[in-house]
Amino acid sequence: MTPTLWLVVAALPALVALGLLAWWWSRRRRRLEYLLRRIAWEQLADVIIPDDVEGEIHLDLALLTTRGILVLEVRRGNGTLFWSEQMDQWAVLDGTGRTVLKNPLPGMRARRHAVHALVPRVPVDGRVVFVGQLSIAGERPPGVVLPEDLVAEFPARGKERPPAALHEAWATLVAAARPL
């Protein structure tokens, strides 16, 4: 065999593995997008809105659902989440390493409050959704969900349009938002 053929034979398994990894990653991402489309009529992604103290705040996602407006903060992680409401930082241990992330709960409350200040007449809820192979040590943090939990907690939207009050509130939020 020629050296070029040996190189092709040696690189083929690595290329196949890389392709499978890319396919798996895109499938997981499409899974979240599919679940969000099931529960929401409309979405805003990566926008800045005014907060109620003359500043601005970033929203990962805002969804128009049957239960009102849902503000989502998306976090990715694989391993076991160790958390406490009082801790400034949480940790995800995956068996080989540790990833530290800022406690998302105070930020989620601020984002939810900012949206509610813009649209006070409709329900506004907030969740932190973790995407990936994640288990949670102890009890689940309040307001933290996995993608499948969203479908269980928020009913699937129907084919009909949202009620007028929700639609008007959504239009107000969209008008106040600007892209990141």
Side-chain angles (χ1 to χ4, degrees):
M1 272 212 236
T2 65
T4 306
L5 187 56
W6 275 108
L7 182 63
V8 169
V9 169
L12 189 59
L15 290 174
V16 169
L18 188 61
L20 286 173
L21 182 64
W23 171 80
W24 177 80
W25 182 255
S26 73
R27 185 170 177 249
R28 291 201 61 78
R29 182 173 178 182
R30 283 192 313 260
R31 173 84 175 139
L32 177 63
E33 291 169 0
Y34 168 76
L35 293 173
L36 296 181
R37 280 194 310 271
R38 280 185 60 196
I39 67 170
W41 282 290
E42 303 209 30
Q43 294 182 35
L44 278 176
D46 282 325
V47 295
I48 304 287
I49 63 168
D51 65 14
D52 62 339
V53 289
E54 298 185 25
E56 296 179 322
I57 196 163
H58 170 257
L59 301 179
D60 280 349
L61 285 166
L63 308 173
L64 179 60
T65 74
T66 58
R67 291 181 41 193
I69 295 176
L70 174 62
V71 179
L72 280 183
E73 189 165 335
V74 179
R75 295 281 188 249
R76 288 170 173 70
N78 292 308
T80 303
L81 174 67
F82 292 88
W83 69 279
S84 167
E85 275 191 82
Q86 292 75 31
M87 293 172 56
D88 291 335
Q89 296 183 333
W90 293 358
V92 176
L93 304 179
D94 65 4
T96 60
R98 172 186 165 145
T99 304
V100 176
L101 55 118
K102 185 177 178 184
N103 179 346
L105 297 179
M108 174 48 65
R109 284 189 286 271
R111 287 169 178 78
R112 189 184 148 283
H113 186 74
V115 171
H116 190 264
L118 289 171
V119 291
R121 292 189 175 96
V122 298
V124 177
D125 214 339
R127 298 287 183 275
V128 178
V129 62
F130 274 91
V131 178
Q133 299 295 320
L134 190 79
S135 61
I136 300 173
E139 293 181 27
R140 181 170 293 183
V144 172
V145 296
L146 301 176
E148 293 74 23
D149 301 329
L150 288 172
V151 176
E153 187 176 351
F154 292 87
R157 64 171 172 80
K159 299 235 185 263
E160 71 281 350
R161 298 299 306 154
L166 282 178
H167 184 72
E168 290 169 17
W170 184 256
T172 301
L173 179 61
V174 168
R178 66 177 175 80
L180 180 63

